[in-house]
Amino acid sequence: MNINEQSILGRWKEFTLTNDHGMSVSMLDFGGIITKICVPDREGNVENVVLGYKDYKHYEDNPNFFGALIGRVGGRIQDASFEIDGIKYPLETNDGDNHLHGGSSGFHHVIWDAQSFQTDNTVGLMLTHTSLDGAGGYPGNVEVAVTYTLNNDNELILDYAAKTDKSTPLTMTNHSYFNLSGDLKDTVQHHNVTMNSSYFVELDHALIPTGRKLDVSNTTFDFRNGRMLQDGFVTDSEQHLIADHGYDHYFIFDNEGKVVVYEENAGRRLTVRTEQPGMVMYTANGLADRLELAEGLSRKHLGVCFETQSSPASLHNDGFPSVMLKAEDTYNKRTIFSFDVEK
Protein backbone atom coordinates (compact mmCIF):
# COMPACT_ATOMS: atom_id res chain seq x y z
CA MET A 1 0.00 0.00 0.00
CA ASN A 2 1.29 3.44 -0.80
CA ILE A 3 0.36 7.05 -1.59
CA ASN A 4 2.04 9.20 -4.19
CA GLU A 5 1.58 12.96 -4.41
CA GLN A 6 2.49 15.25 -7.28
CA SER A 7 1.90 18.85 -8.30
CA ILE A 8 -0.47 19.48 -11.22
CA LEU A 9 -0.30 22.72 -13.23
CA GLY A 10 1.44 24.35 -10.28
CA ARG A 11 -1.78 24.85 -8.33
CA TRP A 12 -3.37 21.47 -7.70
CA LYS A 13 -2.18 18.21 -6.20
CA GLU A 14 -2.89 14.74 -7.49
CA PHE A 15 -2.83 11.86 -5.03
CA THR A 16 -2.48 8.27 -6.24
CA LEU A 17 -3.56 5.51 -3.86
CA THR A 18 -2.20 2.04 -4.65
CA ASN A 19 -3.04 -1.24 -2.91
CA ASP A 20 -1.19 -4.56 -2.86
CA HIS A 21 -3.27 -6.17 -5.63
CA GLY A 22 -2.65 -4.01 -8.66
CA MET A 23 -5.40 -1.43 -8.13
CA SER A 24 -4.76 2.30 -8.00
CA VAL A 25 -6.95 5.39 -7.75
CA SER A 26 -5.82 8.92 -8.58
CA MET A 27 -7.66 12.06 -7.53
CA LEU A 28 -7.15 15.82 -7.38
CA ASP A 29 -7.61 18.14 -4.44
CA PHE A 30 -9.38 20.34 -7.02
CA GLY A 31 -12.99 19.25 -7.15
CA GLY A 32 -12.13 15.95 -5.50
CA ILE A 33 -11.88 14.76 -9.11
CA ILE A 34 -11.06 11.09 -9.69
CA THR A 35 -8.76 11.16 -12.71
CA LYS A 36 -8.02 7.42 -12.99
CA ILE A 37 -9.06 4.09 -11.53
CA CYS A 38 -6.77 1.31 -12.74
CA VAL A 39 -7.81 -2.30 -12.12
CA PRO A 40 -6.89 -5.70 -13.61
CA ASP A 41 -8.97 -7.56 -16.18
CA ARG A 42 -9.38 -11.35 -16.12
CA GLU A 43 -5.94 -11.76 -17.70
CA GLY A 44 -4.29 -9.50 -15.15
CA ASN A 45 -3.92 -6.52 -17.48
CA VAL A 46 -4.20 -3.32 -15.44
CA GLU A 47 -6.12 -0.60 -17.29
CA ASN A 48 -8.00 2.60 -16.54
CA VAL A 49 -11.78 2.20 -16.14
CA VAL A 50 -12.92 5.84 -15.81
CA LEU A 51 -12.98 8.75 -18.24
CA GLY A 52 -10.52 11.57 -17.73
CA TYR A 53 -8.89 14.36 -19.72
CA LYS A 54 -5.52 13.94 -21.39
CA ASP A 55 -4.67 17.57 -20.60
CA TYR A 56 -5.42 18.35 -16.96
CA LYS A 57 -6.11 22.01 -17.68
CA HIS A 58 -9.50 20.97 -19.08
CA TYR A 59 -10.62 19.99 -15.58
CA GLU A 60 -10.79 23.70 -14.76
CA ASP A 61 -14.07 24.01 -16.68
CA ASN A 62 -15.02 20.32 -16.85
CA PRO A 63 -18.55 20.77 -18.26
CA ASN A 64 -19.01 16.98 -18.23
CA PHE A 65 -18.10 16.80 -14.51
CA PHE A 66 -15.62 13.97 -15.17
CA GLY A 67 -14.82 12.28 -11.86
CA ALA A 68 -15.95 15.24 -9.76
CA LEU A 69 -17.45 15.55 -6.30
CA ILE A 70 -20.89 17.10 -6.73
CA GLY A 71 -22.59 19.38 -4.22
CA ARG A 72 -24.25 20.93 -2.49
CA VAL A 73 -26.97 19.14 -4.47
CA GLY A 74 -26.40 16.57 -7.19
CA GLY A 75 -28.80 16.76 -10.11
CA ARG A 76 -31.18 19.40 -11.41
CA ILE A 77 -33.24 21.73 -9.23
CA GLN A 78 -36.39 22.84 -10.99
CA ASP A 79 -36.67 26.57 -11.76
CA ALA A 80 -33.33 27.11 -9.98
CA SER A 81 -35.06 27.79 -6.68
CA PHE A 82 -36.56 26.18 -3.60
CA GLU A 83 -38.38 27.24 -0.45
CA ILE A 84 -37.68 26.61 3.22
CA ASP A 85 -40.29 27.77 5.77
CA GLY A 86 -41.86 30.05 3.17
CA ILE A 87 -38.58 31.72 2.20
CA LYS A 88 -37.61 31.39 -1.45
CA TYR A 89 -33.95 30.82 -2.29
CA PRO A 90 -32.98 31.59 -5.91
CA LEU A 91 -30.02 29.71 -7.37
CA GLU A 92 -27.84 30.10 -10.43
CA THR A 93 -29.51 29.09 -13.70
CA ASN A 94 -26.74 27.03 -15.29
CA ASP A 95 -28.90 24.46 -17.12
CA GLY A 96 -31.53 26.34 -19.07
CA ASP A 97 -33.95 27.75 -16.48
CA ASN A 98 -32.78 25.20 -13.93
CA HIS A 99 -29.86 24.65 -11.56
CA LEU A 100 -27.44 21.74 -12.06
CA HIS A 101 -24.89 20.09 -9.75
CA GLY A 102 -24.43 23.03 -7.38
CA GLY A 103 -23.73 25.62 -10.08
CA SER A 104 -20.44 27.23 -11.05
CA SER A 105 -19.44 27.55 -7.39
CA GLY A 106 -20.26 23.91 -6.66
CA PHE A 107 -17.95 21.45 -4.96
CA HIS A 108 -16.46 20.37 -8.31
CA HIS A 109 -14.74 23.78 -8.56
CA VAL A 110 -13.38 23.93 -5.02
CA ILE A 111 -9.76 23.34 -4.02
CA TRP A 112 -10.29 21.12 -0.99
CA ASP A 113 -8.01 20.82 2.02
CA ALA A 114 -6.42 17.39 1.59
CA GLN A 115 -4.88 15.06 4.16
CA SER A 116 -3.61 11.63 3.16
CA PHE A 117 -3.50 8.67 5.55
CA GLN A 118 -2.35 5.06 5.64
CA THR A 119 -3.01 2.02 7.82
CA ASP A 120 -1.89 -1.60 7.54
CA ASN A 121 -4.69 -2.42 5.08
CA THR A 122 -5.84 0.92 3.65
CA VAL A 123 -4.63 4.11 2.04
CA GLY A 124 -6.79 7.18 1.71
CA LEU A 125 -7.38 10.87 1.37
CA MET A 126 -9.64 13.09 3.45
CA LEU A 127 -10.94 16.24 1.78
CA THR A 128 -12.51 19.03 3.83
CA HIS A 129 -14.22 22.27 2.87
CA THR A 130 -16.48 24.88 4.43
CA SER A 131 -19.23 26.10 2.12
CA LEU A 132 -20.24 29.52 3.40
CA ASP A 133 -23.76 30.76 3.99
CA GLY A 134 -25.09 32.06 0.68
CA ALA A 135 -22.59 30.19 -1.51
CA GLY A 136 -24.33 29.51 -4.80
CA GLY A 137 -27.55 30.83 -3.25
CA TYR A 138 -27.77 28.10 -0.62
CA PRO A 139 -28.39 28.94 3.06
CA GLY A 140 -26.17 27.87 5.92
CA ASN A 141 -22.50 27.43 6.65
CA VAL A 142 -21.85 23.80 5.79
CA GLU A 143 -18.76 21.93 6.95
CA VAL A 144 -18.05 19.05 4.59
CA ALA A 145 -15.65 16.09 4.73
CA VAL A 146 -15.30 13.53 1.97
CA THR A 147 -12.97 10.58 2.50
CA TYR A 148 -11.63 8.28 -0.21
CA THR A 149 -10.33 4.96 1.13
CA LEU A 150 -8.75 2.16 -0.91
CA ASN A 151 -8.32 -1.25 0.68
CA ASN A 152 -6.80 -4.59 -0.30
CA ASP A 153 -10.21 -5.99 -1.27
CA ASN A 154 -10.12 -3.67 -4.31
CA GLU A 155 -12.78 -1.49 -2.74
CA LEU A 156 -12.87 2.28 -3.14
CA ILE A 157 -14.94 3.64 -0.26
CA LEU A 158 -16.41 7.15 -0.39
CA ASP A 159 -17.59 8.53 2.95
CA TYR A 160 -19.51 11.80 2.88
CA ALA A 161 -20.05 13.82 6.07
CA ALA A 162 -21.49 17.29 6.67
CA LYS A 163 -23.16 19.53 9.22
CA THR A 164 -24.84 22.90 8.83
CA ASP A 165 -25.92 25.80 11.04
CA LYS A 166 -29.11 26.37 8.96
CA SER A 167 -31.45 23.97 7.24
CA THR A 168 -30.26 23.52 3.67
CA PRO A 169 -30.56 21.09 0.77
CA LEU A 170 -27.60 18.72 0.61
CA THR A 171 -27.01 15.49 -1.28
CA MET A 172 -23.51 14.80 -2.48
CA THR A 173 -22.31 12.31 -5.06
CA ASN A 174 -19.42 11.44 -7.34
CA HIS A 175 -19.68 11.87 -11.11
CA SER A 176 -17.15 9.34 -12.39
CA TYR A 177 -17.87 7.84 -15.81
CA PHE A 178 -17.07 4.12 -15.70
CA ASN A 179 -16.03 2.02 -18.69
CA LEU A 180 -15.04 -1.51 -17.70
CA SER A 181 -13.71 -2.42 -21.16
CA GLY A 182 -10.46 -0.77 -20.04
CA ASP A 183 -8.64 2.15 -21.67
CA LEU A 184 -11.80 3.04 -23.64
CA LYS A 185 -11.76 0.03 -25.97
CA ASP A 186 -15.52 0.21 -26.48
CA THR A 187 -18.58 2.17 -25.47
CA VAL A 188 -20.66 0.91 -22.52
CA GLN A 189 -23.27 -0.64 -24.80
CA HIS A 190 -22.26 -4.15 -23.71
CA HIS A 191 -22.17 -3.39 -19.98
CA ASN A 192 -24.70 -5.56 -18.18
CA VAL A 193 -26.32 -3.80 -15.20
CA THR A 194 -28.33 -5.42 -12.41
CA MET A 195 -30.12 -3.48 -9.67
CA ASN A 196 -33.14 -3.97 -7.47
CA SER A 197 -35.29 -1.02 -8.50
CA SER A 198 -38.99 -1.26 -9.33
CA TYR A 199 -39.53 2.46 -10.01
CA PHE A 200 -37.72 5.24 -11.82
CA VAL A 201 -38.55 8.94 -11.97
CA GLU A 202 -40.18 10.30 -15.10
CA LEU A 203 -38.47 13.28 -16.79
CA ASP A 204 -39.87 16.12 -18.87
CA HIS A 205 -38.11 17.47 -21.96
CA ALA A 206 -35.84 19.66 -19.82
CA LEU A 207 -34.76 16.54 -17.87
CA ILE A 208 -36.67 17.77 -14.82
CA PRO A 209 -38.63 15.20 -12.80
CA THR A 210 -42.35 15.46 -13.45
CA GLY A 211 -43.24 14.19 -9.98
CA ARG A 212 -44.32 10.79 -11.31
CA LYS A 213 -42.68 7.47 -10.48
CA LEU A 214 -42.96 4.93 -13.28
CA ASP A 215 -43.09 1.16 -12.87
CA VAL A 216 -40.12 -0.47 -14.64
CA SER A 217 -42.05 -3.65 -15.47
CA ASN A 218 -41.97 -4.57 -19.17
CA THR A 219 -39.71 -1.63 -20.01
CA THR A 220 -36.04 -1.09 -20.80
CA PHE A 221 -35.75 0.47 -17.33
CA ASP A 222 -36.13 -2.94 -15.66
CA PHE A 223 -32.69 -4.03 -14.45
CA ARG A 224 -33.90 -6.39 -11.74
CA ASN A 225 -32.70 -9.45 -13.66
CA GLY A 226 -29.87 -7.74 -15.51
CA ARG A 227 -29.93 -5.84 -18.80
CA MET A 228 -27.46 -4.55 -21.37
CA LEU A 229 -27.25 -0.77 -21.46
CA GLN A 230 -27.59 -0.83 -25.24
CA ASP A 231 -31.26 -1.77 -24.77
CA GLY A 232 -31.90 1.83 -23.79
CA PHE A 233 -29.81 3.24 -26.64
CA VAL A 234 -31.77 1.69 -29.48
CA THR A 235 -35.39 1.95 -28.33
CA ASP A 236 -37.66 4.84 -29.34
CA SER A 237 -39.65 5.00 -26.12
CA GLU A 238 -40.37 8.55 -24.98
CA GLN A 239 -38.22 8.55 -21.85
CA HIS A 240 -35.18 7.36 -23.81
CA LEU A 241 -35.76 9.96 -26.52
CA ILE A 242 -36.00 12.68 -23.86
CA ALA A 243 -32.61 11.54 -22.55
CA ASP A 244 -31.12 11.58 -26.07
CA HIS A 245 -31.17 7.80 -26.55
CA GLY A 246 -29.96 6.61 -23.19
CA TYR A 247 -30.46 6.82 -19.46
CA ASP A 248 -30.32 9.96 -17.30
CA HIS A 249 -32.89 8.89 -14.74
CA TYR A 250 -33.22 8.51 -10.99
CA PHE A 251 -33.81 4.91 -9.91
CA ILE A 252 -35.33 4.29 -6.48
CA PHE A 253 -33.88 1.24 -4.75
CA ASP A 254 -36.43 -1.26 -3.47
CA ASN A 255 -34.37 -2.01 -0.36
CA GLU A 256 -30.64 -2.61 -0.52
CA GLY A 257 -28.73 -0.05 -2.53
CA LYS A 258 -26.70 -2.37 -4.75
CA VAL A 259 -25.77 -2.24 -8.42
CA VAL A 260 -23.69 -4.88 -10.26
CA VAL A 261 -22.06 -4.03 -13.59
CA TYR A 262 -20.30 -6.61 -15.76
CA GLU A 263 -18.33 -6.30 -18.98
CA GLU A 264 -17.80 -9.69 -20.59
CA ASN A 265 -14.82 -9.03 -22.87
CA ALA A 266 -12.51 -7.87 -20.07
CA GLY A 267 -14.30 -9.87 -17.38
CA ARG A 268 -14.37 -6.90 -15.03
CA ARG A 269 -17.20 -6.57 -12.55
CA LEU A 270 -18.05 -3.43 -10.58
CA THR A 271 -20.32 -3.66 -7.57
CA VAL A 272 -21.74 -0.41 -6.18
CA ARG A 273 -23.12 -0.49 -2.64
CA THR A 274 -24.64 2.59 -1.07
CA GLU A 275 -26.61 3.86 1.91
CA GLN A 276 -28.39 6.28 -0.40
CA PRO A 277 -32.04 5.62 -1.35
CA GLY A 278 -31.41 5.76 -5.09
CA MET A 279 -29.16 6.92 -7.88
CA VAL A 280 -29.08 8.67 -11.21
CA MET A 281 -27.70 6.41 -13.92
CA TYR A 282 -26.32 8.54 -16.76
CA THR A 283 -24.97 6.92 -19.91
CA ALA A 284 -23.06 9.88 -21.37
CA ASN A 285 -25.78 10.63 -23.90
CA GLY A 286 -24.67 14.25 -24.19
CA LEU A 287 -20.94 13.60 -24.30
CA ALA A 288 -19.46 15.52 -27.21
CA ASP A 289 -17.34 13.79 -29.82
CA ARG A 290 -13.58 14.18 -30.08
CA LEU A 291 -12.64 15.51 -26.66
CA GLU A 292 -9.07 14.45 -25.93
CA LEU A 293 -9.27 11.92 -23.13
CA ALA A 294 -6.36 10.08 -21.55
CA GLU A 295 -6.77 6.99 -23.76
CA GLY A 296 -8.44 8.42 -26.86
CA LEU A 297 -11.23 10.61 -28.18
CA SER A 298 -14.63 10.88 -26.55
CA ARG A 299 -17.90 9.83 -28.09
CA LYS A 300 -21.47 9.25 -27.05
CA HIS A 301 -22.13 6.41 -24.58
CA LEU A 302 -18.44 6.07 -23.73
CA GLY A 303 -19.10 5.91 -19.98
CA VAL A 304 -21.78 5.35 -17.39
CA CYS A 305 -22.22 7.28 -14.13
CA PHE A 306 -23.76 5.84 -10.97
CA GLU A 307 -24.66 9.00 -9.03
CA THR A 308 -25.81 7.63 -5.68
CA GLN A 309 -27.82 10.29 -3.87
CA SER A 310 -31.22 11.49 -2.65
CA SER A 311 -33.57 13.20 -5.08
CA PRO A 312 -33.68 16.98 -5.71
CA ALA A 313 -37.22 16.34 -7.00
CA SER A 314 -38.15 16.28 -3.30
CA LEU A 315 -37.77 20.09 -3.21
CA HIS A 316 -40.85 20.48 -5.44
CA ASN A 317 -42.71 17.17 -5.13
CA ASP A 318 -43.94 14.97 -2.30
CA GLY A 319 -42.96 11.34 -1.95
CA PHE A 320 -39.32 11.54 -3.01
CA PRO A 321 -36.19 10.90 -0.90
CA SER A 322 -35.47 14.19 0.85
CA VAL A 323 -32.35 16.28 0.31
CA MET A 324 -32.93 18.54 3.32
CA LEU A 325 -30.29 18.66 6.05
CA LYS A 326 -31.46 20.28 9.28
CA ALA A 327 -29.20 22.26 11.58
CA GLU A 328 -29.53 19.69 14.36
CA ASP A 329 -28.70 16.74 12.11
CA THR A 330 -25.49 15.33 10.66
CA TYR A 331 -25.11 14.08 7.10
CA ASN A 332 -23.32 10.74 6.85
CA LYS A 333 -23.48 8.62 3.70
CA ARG A 334 -21.26 5.89 2.27
CA THR A 335 -20.86 4.49 -1.24
CA ILE A 336 -18.47 1.65 -2.07
CA PHE A 337 -17.15 0.83 -5.53
CA SER A 338 -15.65 -2.66 -5.52
CA PHE A 339 -13.91 -4.37 -8.43
CA ASP A 340 -13.29 -8.00 -9.25
CA VAL A 341 -13.20 -10.28 -12.30
CA GLU A 342 -15.26 -13.15 -13.54
CA LYS A 343 -13.04 -15.83 -15.06
Side-chain angles (χ1 to χ4, degrees):
M1 311 287 284
N2 66 72
I3 306 168
N4 181 60
E5 177 184 331
Q6 63 176 332
S7 176
I8 300 293
L9 302 176
R11 58 186 184 274
W12 306 333
K13 292 180 181 178
E14 183 178 52
F15 298 82
T16 298
L17 316 177
T18 305
N19 71 9
D20 296 332
H21 300 297
M23 177 175 174
S24 65
V25 183
S26 300
M27 70 279 293
L28 301 175
D29 58 356
F30 175 70
I33 293 168
I34 294 175
T35 56
K36 289 184 180 179
I37 298 178
C38 297
V39 295
D41 67 5
R42 67 159 63 89
E43 305 298 331
N45 302 307
V46 177
E47 296 169 312
N48 183 24
V49 294
V50 294
L51 276 60
Y53 289 111
K54 180 178 180 180
D55 188 338
Y56 278 50
K57 70 182 181 183
H58 294 306
Y59 284 116
E60 194 150 33
D61 293 326
N62 198 13
N64 298 289
F65 303 93
F66 287 142
L69 288 178
I70 302 298
R72 296 187 186 186
V73 172
R76 292 175 173 85
I77 296 179
Q78 179 181 339
D79 299 327
S81 66
F82 59 89
E83 289 189 6
I84 300 176
D85 297 331
I87 300 174
K88 185 174 182 178
Y89 293 89
L91 304 172
E92 176 186 2
T93 54
N94 65 325
D95 186 67
D97 293 329
N98 306 301
H99 176 80
L100 176 64
H101 290 335
S104 59
S105 60
F107 292 169
H108 63 293
H109 277 159
V110 167
I111 296 180
W112 295 67
D113 293 326
Q115 182 67 48
S116 61
F117 61 88
Q118 184 167 352
T119 70
D120 290 342
N121 298 303
T122 66
V123 285
L125 186 72
M126 175 179 280
L127 301 174
T128 55
H129 170 65
T130 299
S131 179
L132 297 177
D133 186 19
Y138 293 91
N141 296 295
V142 180
E143 297 178 18
V144 182
V146 180
T147 305
Y148 294 94
T149 305
L150 175 64
N151 63 28
N152 273 327
D153 294 322
N154 281 6
E155 292 179 334
L156 175 62
I157 303 167
L158 275 65
D159 286 305
Y160 303 88
K163 58 183 180 179
T164 178
D165 57 4
K166 293 180 183 178
S167 292
T168 191
L170 183 81
T171 184
M172 294 183 282
T173 193
N174 179 271
H175 208 282
S176 289
Y177 292 69
F178 292 92
N179 184 322
L180 301 183
S181 71
D183 289 348
L184 306 184
K185 290 187 186 67
D186 194 2
T187 68
V188 295
Q189 61 182 332
H190 297 129
H191 284 44
N192 186 285
V193 174
T194 305
M195 62 174 151
N196 194 12
S197 172
S198 298
Y199 292 91
F200 73 100
V201 177
E202 183 183 56
L203 299 177
D204 67 16
H205 286 274
L207 301 175
I208 294 296
T210 65
R212 295 180 64 205
K213 302 171 190 173
L214 302 183
D215 191 329
V216 302
S217 299
N218 302 311
T219 75
T220 47
F221 290 84
D222 189 351
F223 290 90
R224 291 173 294 187
N225 294 309
R227 177 180 295 278
M228 291 288 189
L229 289 178
Q230 66 180 353
D231 291 355
F233 302 166
V234 298
T235 181
D236 287 333
S237 69
E238 183 184 21
Q239 283 297 297
H240 286 300
L241 293 177
I242 283 173
D244 195 13
H245 296 281
Y247 299 91
D248 195 4
H249 296 75
Y250 188 82
F251 290 83
I252 300 169
F253 297 131
D254 291 346
N255 39 54
E256 179 189 19
K258 180 181 177 182
V259 183
V260 179
V261 192
Y262 177 62
E263 201 276 336
E264 184 176 12
N265 288 332
R268 292 187 180 93
R269 179 168 50 204
L270 165 64
T271 303
V272 185
R273 295 181 176 87
T274 185
E275 298 171 349
Q276 294 280 17
M279 70 165 191
V280 173
M281 184 170 72
Y282 173 56
T283 50
N285 320 310
L287 183 58
D289 289 341
R290 306 194 68 78
L291 298 176
E292 286 196 41
L293 306 182
E295 294 83 22
L297 298 178
S298 66
R299 60 192 188 276
K300 188 173 184 171
H301 298 151
L302 194 57
V304 54
C305 303
F306 303 103
E307 302 165 54
T308 58
Q309 59 177 95
S310 286
S311 174
S314 63
L315 293 171
H316 295 274
N317 302 276
D318 294 331
F320 290 85
S322 176
V323 297
M324 291 303 301
L325 176 65
K326 297 180 179 178
E328 63 269 22
D329 295 335
T330 301
Y331 182 96
N332 283 291
K333 299 292 182 182
R334 169 175 281 193
T335 294
I336 301 173
F337 299 100
S338 60
F339 296 87
D340 65 352
V341 294
E342 197 170 290
K343 297 295 186 180

Short mmCIF file of all heavy atoms in Angstrom, two decimals, residues 244-266:
data_model
loop_
_atom_site.label_atom_id
_atom_site.label_comp_id
_atom_site.label_asym_id
_atom_site.label_seq_id
_atom_site.Cartn_x
_atom_site.Cartn_y
_atom_site.Cartn_z
N ASP A 244 -32.00 11.66 -24.91
CA ASP A 244 -31.12 11.58 -26.07
C ASP A 244 -30.57 10.17 -26.25
O ASP A 244 -29.37 9.95 -26.35
CB ASP A 244 -29.97 12.60 -25.96
CG ASP A 244 -29.23 12.81 -27.29
OD1 ASP A 244 -29.75 12.36 -28.32
OD2 ASP A 244 -28.16 13.41 -27.26
N HIS A 245 -31.50 9.21 -26.28
CA HIS A 245 -31.17 7.80 -26.55
C HIS A 245 -30.25 7.22 -25.48
O HIS A 245 -29.14 6.74 -25.78
CB HIS A 245 -30.57 7.63 -27.95
CG HIS A 245 -31.52 7.98 -29.05
ND1 HIS A 245 -32.52 7.13 -29.48
CD2 HIS A 245 -31.64 9.11 -29.79
CE1 HIS A 245 -33.20 7.71 -30.45
NE2 HIS A 245 -32.69 8.91 -30.67
N GLY A 246 -30.72 7.23 -24.27
CA GLY A 246 -29.96 6.61 -23.19
C GLY A 246 -30.69 6.73 -21.89
O GLY A 246 -31.93 6.86 -21.84
N TYR A 247 -29.93 6.70 -20.81
CA TYR A 247 -30.46 6.82 -19.46
C TYR A 247 -29.88 8.08 -18.81
O TYR A 247 -28.68 8.35 -18.91
CB TYR A 247 -30.10 5.61 -18.61
CG TYR A 247 -30.64 4.29 -19.13
CD1 TYR A 247 -29.89 3.51 -20.00
CD2 TYR A 247 -31.89 3.83 -18.74
CE1 TYR A 247 -30.38 2.30 -20.47
CE2 TYR A 247 -32.39 2.62 -19.22
CZ TYR A 247 -31.63 1.87 -20.08
OH TYR A 247 -32.12 0.67 -20.55
N ASP A 248 -30.75 8.83 -18.13
CA ASP A 248 -30.32 9.96 -17.30
C ASP A 248 -31.35 10.10 -16.19
O ASP A 248 -31.80 11.20 -15.87
CB ASP A 248 -30.23 11.24 -18.14
CG ASP A 248 -29.46 12.35 -17.43
OD1 ASP A 248 -28.95 12.11 -16.31
OD2 ASP A 248 -29.38 13.47 -17.98
N HIS A 249 -31.72 8.98 -15.60
CA HIS A 249 -32.89 8.89 -14.74
C HIS A 249 -32.52 8.46 -13.31
O HIS A 249 -31.54 7.75 -13.10
CB HIS A 249 -33.89 7.87 -15.31
CG HIS A 249 -34.45 8.27 -16.64
ND1 HIS A 249 -33.72 8.16 -17.81
CD2 HIS A 249 -35.67 8.75 -17.00
CE1 HIS A 249 -34.46 8.57 -18.82
NE2 HIS A 249 -35.64 8.94 -18.36
N TYR A 250 -33.38 8.89 -12.39
CA TYR A 250 -33.22 8.51 -10.99
C TYR A 250 -33.97 7.21 -10.74
O TYR A 250 -35.18 7.11 -10.97
CB TYR A 250 -33.77 9.62 -10.08
CG TYR A 250 -33.48 9.40 -8.60
CD1 TYR A 250 -32.25 9.74 -8.06
CD2 TYR A 250 -34.44 8.85 -7.76
CE1 TYR A 250 -31.98 9.55 -6.71
CE2 TYR A 250 -34.18 8.66 -6.40
CZ TYR A 250 -32.95 9.00 -5.89
OH TYR A 250 -32.68 8.81 -4.55
N PHE A 251 -33.23 6.20 -10.28
CA PHE A 251 -33.81 4.91 -9.91
C PHE A 251 -33.92 4.83 -8.40
O PHE A 251 -32.96 5.12 -7.68
CB PHE A 251 -32.92 3.77 -10.42
CG PHE A 251 -32.93 3.61 -11.92
CD1 PHE A 251 -32.12 4.40 -12.73
CD2 PHE A 251 -33.74 2.65 -12.52
CE1 PHE A 251 -32.13 4.25 -14.11
CE2 PHE A 251 -33.76 2.49 -13.90
CZ PHE A 251 -32.95 3.29 -14.70
N ILE A 252 -35.09 4.44 -7.91
CA ILE A 252 -35.33 4.29 -6.48
C ILE A 252 -35.09 2.84 -6.10
O ILE A 252 -35.71 1.93 -6.65
CB ILE A 252 -36.76 4.71 -6.12
CG1 ILE A 252 -36.99 6.18 -6.51
CG2 ILE A 252 -37.03 4.52 -4.63
CD1 ILE A 252 -38.44 6.62 -6.45
N PHE A 253 -34.17 2.60 -5.16
CA PHE A 253 -33.88 1.24 -4.75
C PHE A 253 -35.05 0.66 -3.95
O PHE A 253 -35.64 1.35 -3.12
CB PHE A 253 -32.61 1.18 -3.92
CG PHE A 253 -31.37 1.61 -4.67
CD1 PHE A 253 -30.50 2.54 -4.12
CD2 PHE A 253 -31.07 1.09 -5.91
CE1 PHE A 253 -29.35 2.93 -4.79
CE2 PHE A 253 -29.93 1.48 -6.61
CZ PHE A 253 -29.07 2.40 -6.05
N ASP A 254 -35.35 -0.60 -4.21
CA ASP A 254 -36.43 -1.26 -3.47
C ASP A 254 -36.06 -1.44 -2.00
O ASP A 254 -36.88 -1.27 -1.11
CB ASP A 254 -36.75 -2.62 -4.09
CG ASP A 254 -37.38 -2.50 -5.46
OD1 ASP A 254 -37.81 -1.39 -5.81
OD2 ASP A 254 -37.43 -3.52 -6.17
N ASN A 255 -34.84 -1.83 -1.75
CA ASN A 255 -34.37 -2.01 -0.36
C ASN A 255 -32.87 -1.74 -0.34
O ASN A 255 -32.45 -0.61 -0.18
CB ASN A 255 -34.72 -3.42 0.18
CG ASN A 255 -34.57 -4.51 -0.87
OD1 ASN A 255 -33.52 -4.65 -1.48
ND2 ASN A 255 -35.63 -5.27 -1.10
N GLU A 256 -32.08 -2.78 -0.54
CA GLU A 256 -30.64 -2.61 -0.52
C GLU A 256 -30.15 -1.81 -1.71
O GLU A 256 -30.53 -2.07 -2.85
CB GLU A 256 -29.97 -4.00 -0.52
CG GLU A 256 -28.45 -3.97 -0.52
CD GLU A 256 -27.85 -5.36 -0.74
OE1 GLU A 256 -28.57 -6.24 -1.25
OE2 GLU A 256 -26.68 -5.53 -0.41
N GLY A 257 -29.31 -0.82 -1.46
CA GLY A 257 -28.73 -0.05 -2.53
C GLY A 257 -27.53 -0.78 -3.11
O GLY A 257 -26.39 -0.64 -2.63
N LYS A 258 -27.77 -1.56 -4.15
CA LYS A 258 -26.70 -2.37 -4.75
C LYS A 258 -26.88 -2.42 -6.25
O LYS A 258 -27.97 -2.67 -6.75
CB LYS A 258 -26.70 -3.78 -4.16
CG LYS A 258 -25.63 -4.70 -4.73
CD LYS A 258 -25.72 -6.08 -4.11
CE LYS A 258 -24.69 -7.04 -4.70
NZ LYS A 258 -24.81 -8.40 -4.12
N VAL A 259 -25.78 -2.18 -6.97
CA VAL A 259 -25.77 -2.24 -8.42
C VAL A 259 -24.57 -3.10 -8.84
O VAL A 259 -23.46 -2.90 -8.33
CB VAL A 259 -25.64 -0.84 -9.05
CG1 VAL A 259 -25.71 -0.92 -10.57
CG2 VAL A 259 -26.71 0.11 -8.51
N VAL A 260 -24.78 -4.04 -9.75
CA VAL A 260 -23.69 -4.88 -10.26
C VAL A 260 -23.56 -4.63 -11.75
O VAL A 260 -24.55 -4.69 -12.50
CB VAL A 260 -23.95 -6.37 -9.98
CG1 VAL A 260 -22.80 -7.22 -10.54
CG2 VAL A 260 -24.10 -6.63 -8.48
N VAL A 261 -22.34 -4.35 -12.18
CA VAL A 261 -22.06 -4.03 -13.59
C VAL A 261 -20.99 -5.00 -14.08
O VAL A 261 -19.95 -5.18 -13.43
CB VAL A 261 -21.55 -2.58 -13.75
CG1 VAL A 261 -21.53 -2.17 -15.21
CG2 VAL A 261 -22.38 -1.61 -12.91
N TYR A 262 -21.23 -5.61 -15.24
CA TYR A 262 -20.30 -6.61 -15.76
C TYR A 262 -20.03 -6.36 -17.23
O TYR A 262 -20.95 -6.08 -18.00
CB TYR A 262 -20.88 -8.02 -15.57
CG TYR A 262 -20.03 -9.12 -16.15
CD1 TYR A 262 -18.74 -9.36 -15.67
CD2 TYR A 262 -20.51 -9.93 -17.18
CE1 TYR A 262 -17.95 -10.37 -16.21
CE2 TYR A 262 -19.72 -10.94 -17.72
CZ TYR A 262 -18.45 -11.16 -17.23
OH TYR A 262 -17.67 -12.16 -17.76
N GLU A 263 -18.74 -6.45 -17.59
CA GLU A 263 -18.33 -6.30 -18.98
C GLU A 263 -17.63 -7.59 -19.39
O GLU A 263 -16.56 -7.93 -18.85
CB GLU A 263 -17.41 -5.09 -19.14
CG GLU A 263 -17.33 -4.54 -20.56
CD GLU A 263 -16.33 -5.28 -21.43
OE1 GLU A 263 -15.40 -5.89 -20.87
OE2 GLU A 263 -16.47 -5.24 -22.66
N GLU A 264 -18.22 -8.32 -20.31
CA GLU A 264 -17.80 -9.69 -20.59
C GLU A 264 -16.42 -9.79 -21.23
O GLU A 264 -15.63 -10.68 -20.90
CB GLU A 264 -18.83 -10.38 -21.49
CG GLU A 264 -18.51 -11.85 -21.75
CD GLU A 264 -19.59 -12.54 -22.56
OE1 GLU A 264 -20.47 -11.84 -23.12
OE2 GLU A 264 -19.53 -13.78 -22.64
N ASN A 265 -16.08 -8.90 -22.15
CA ASN A 265 -14.82 -9.03 -22.87
C ASN A 265 -13.62 -8.97 -21.93
O ASN A 265 -12.69 -9.78 -22.04
CB ASN A 265 -14.71 -7.96 -23.95
CG ASN A 265 -15.63 -8.22 -25.12
OD1 ASN A 265 -15.96 -9.36 -25.41
ND2 ASN A 265 -16.08 -7.16 -25.78
N ALA A 266 -13.61 -8.00 -21.02
CA ALA A 266 -12.51 -7.87 -20.07
C ALA A 266 -12.72 -8.72 -18.83
O ALA A 266 -11.77 -9.03 -18.10
CB ALA A 266 -12.32 -6.41 -19.68
#
